[in-house]
Amino acid sequence: MKDQNLNFLYSPTVVQKKLRLSSGQDRVEQSSGEMTASERDHVIVGCNYFTTGTNTNLFWYKQLPNRSPTLILGQYTTEPDFKKRFSATLNSTSRTFPLVIKNQHVSDSAVYYCALRPTVSGNTRTLYKNPTNK
């Protein structure tokens, strides 16, 4: 069977903007746009994070059309359905948390969100989306 090309979305916007998810001064940024990959390719989806503290919790979510986001993995754990092919490694020097998807499947075509949750004691602020024109 011939490889199929698929659109692999990693940002919720079609226009060329950066998505910024933030809580106060803490935030994550992903470049917007589409990625195209073939089945069985390895794909890396970028995520840069900016925090005022040293303790952070980062997460990746997958969202299919007309569905709520599904947790893929956190900085320390991966959901069972995603363990074989999905991974992410925190690089605190470059402040990145890229999602790696091995052996790409057509069913992986979705919107992917990187999220940051500060672990500062007493921080109860809600994270929110804030698209910017950067």
Side-chain angles (χ1 to χ4, degrees):
M1 183 175 180
K2 190 175 180 181
D3 283 355
Q4 293 181 350
N5 281 338
L6 60 129
N7 285 331
F8 183 80
L9 300 176
Y10 66 96
S11 174
T13 55
V14 176
V15 291
Q16 292 299 313
K17 293 182 180 180
K18 285 192 177 182
L19 174 71
R20 180 182 289 173
L21 299 174
S22 65
S23 173
Q25 295 176 8
D26 298 331
R27 69 183 192 277
V28 296
E29 290 184 359
Q30 295 175 247
S31 295
S32 60
E34 291 183 8
M35 295 177 73
T36 301
S38 297
E39 283 189 282
R40 297 184 297 280
D41 280 355
H42 287 15
V43 175
I44 300 173
V45 185
C47 173
N48 296 309
Y49 70 93
F50 305 89
T51 62
T52 54
T54 55
N55 295 325
T56 57
N57 279 330
L58 289 150
F59 303 89
W60 276 102
Y61 292 87
K62 175 181 179 178
Q63 186 173 21
L64 296 170
N66 302 314
R67 293 283 195 64
S68 297
T70 302
L71 178 64
I72 298 170
L73 56 82
Q75 189 173 328
Y76 304 106
T77 61
T78 303
E79 293 298 300
D81 290 347
F82 297 98
K83 278 191 177 194
K84 289 185 180 179
R85 299 184 307 109
F86 291 74
S87 63
T89 303
L90 178 74
N91 183 325
S92 59
T93 303
S94 63
R95 293 187 170 264
T96 58
F97 189 58
L99 177 66
V100 177
I101 305 173
K102 297 178 184 174
N103 192 23
Q104 175 78 21
H105 295 171
V106 172
S107 62
D108 294 330
S109 184
V111 177
Y112 290 84
Y113 295 97
C114 179
L116 170 68
R117 183 179 70 195
T119 57
V120 177
S121 178
N123 185 353
T124 58
R125 292 176 290 179
T126 303
L127 298 177
Y128 64 95
K129 289 193 294 186
N130 181 16
T132 61
N133 290 322
K134 288 191 175 184

